[in-house]
Amino acid sequence: MTQPPSRGVPGPSGSAKPTGASTVPPAPPDGGLPVVPAAPPVPFAPAPPVQGAGTPPGSGPPGPRGSAWAEGWGRLRAAAGTEPGRLRIIGAVLALLVVGFGAATSWQMTDRAAAAEDVLHRSQPLAADAAAIYRSLADANTTASSGFLARGQEPVEVTERYRQHVDTAAEKLAKAAAGAEPGSASATAITELNKLLPRYTGLVERARANNRHGMPLGGAYLRYANDTMQTEMLPAAEKLYQHENARLRADYDGATPYPWVALGLGVLALTALAWAQRRNYRRTNRVFNHGLLAATAASTVVVLWLAVGHTVARSGLNTSYEDGVRSLNVLNDARLASLKARGNENLTLVSRGAETITVEKHQVDKFDAAFKEQMALLSGTENRTGLLATAARFADDDSGRTPVTRAADALKTWQERHAVARERDEAGDYQGALDRIIGKPGEPSAGECLDTAADEPTGECFDVVDAALEEALDHEQGEFKKAVGNAPGSMTVLALGAAGLAALAAAFALFGIGRRLSEYR
């Protein structure tokens, strides 16, 4: 068998030597093929991937994984690159805005409805009860001094009136304690009054017992009872009254502010819906999208309902405060001043000059000076308008002004009769002064205060003033309730209706966007 010549390179001896081999293995003796030793293994090194025309994208090794936010943002950007993706984003934003608008409206109106409900059913009644406590205590103190002046002939009606006012004060204190917040100033004042009331009634009973026996010690007990009332009980009752009035004012402040957050979100939602419809028209040349149009209509109803409904309710609450609460406060102050004046007038005769104070370097009777001070509050001075004139100005109709005018006329006659009684007392005619303060024993009261008849007692004028102010208070209480009207209920209905309409508007918006998306399927 002939072997093909092998290529080689000349060796040093001039003979050719095959390339890559140092020696040529000899042929085996049996004439077979020569044995060629195996080449050593070569390590495998994979070729780097080549991104050519035939390599699919993403077939290379994966890179480091990004955060969930980055991946989500990437998908969102990819979706925003297509019209269906953009529509989905617009639909989600519209639904979110409309639902947020409804939630804000429901939250703010529910909060205001709760405050208005507290005005009508909690804080104003508690303020009225606090005023009734003050008034009952002052009236009981005045009645006790009137009965004391009758000595052993204390009229039964006077005793009954005293007990009635004490019972009313105790009943109102129990009611106020149930509505007071634990640890508040109201709760502290109520606790103090509950401790002082039994002490006061005990002092009055001791004064009566000594007075029936004609013992002068009775006057000392009564003055001590009056001091307890004037320096401890009435200040505590006044704190209770002021705190409840402050809580009433806070409830008004919570019910009347405009819901600006809800209104702002409503305007923003309407703006977004209008923009979406305009965009839809420019891209499709279709005038209306029924879903977006219905969502806009529902949102518009909520915005108008919110603006108009809250304005009407707010107006009623403001009117109830201006024409009701302010008038009630002034009338309560006027009635308390008249009660204090009557009590001081009686105590002037009880003390018989035992207690004096210095006024403009002159010694005057302490209780007569206090009487004049209360009269100045009622009728006014050169530098200050009186409580009765203020109450007449706050009254918004003749039904409210007429009793106040009657009280003012009776007050003038009361002052004139009081001056006659003081002249008798200072002249040493104690019995004559007493007859012109509480009336003659056994002589029925005329119940009128029409003139300055010297023989008529001042008690008749006090009764007219007190009855007229009570009538005015009842009228203003009715005006308050009428002005508040159904404000709490209308605010509650508004909160519920706004939530429902907003949810409906969001569904309409998604429906309108869904109709556009269906065109791409």
Side-chain angles (χ1 to χ4, degrees), residues 95 98-99 291 295 501-513:
V98 174
V99 169
L501 284 174
L504 193 62
F508 280 137
L510 292 176
F511 172 76
I513 296 297

Side-chain angles (χ1 to χ4, degrees), residues 41-57:
V42 179
F44 175 76
V50 179
Q51 294 291 341
T55 306

Side-chain angles (χ1 to χ4, degrees), residues 106-119 254-255 310 317 487-495:
S106 180
W107 159 58
Q108 290 199 298
M109 294 313 301
T110 299
D111 185 62
R112 282 154 178 74
E117 190 75 18
D118 287 341
V119 166
H310 183 269
L317 288 169
S490 63
M491 288 182 175
T492 301
V493 172
L494 174 55

Side-chain angles (χ1 to χ4, degrees), residues 210 232-233 309 505:
N210 283 275
E232 297 184 63
M233 297 180 70

Side-chain angles (χ1 to χ4, degrees), residues 384-405:
R384 181 176 179 179
T385 304
L387 292 173
L388 293 180
T390 304
R393 187 175 71 253
F394 284 168
D396 56 347
D397 55 15
D398 290 337
S399 299
R401 279 189 292 269
T402 299
V404 176
T405 302

Side-chain angles (χ1 to χ4, degrees), residues 49-75:
V50 179
Q51 294 291 341
T55 306
S59 60
R65 184 174 181 179
S67 65
W69 171 259
E71 291 181 3
W73 178 249
R75 286 194 295 268

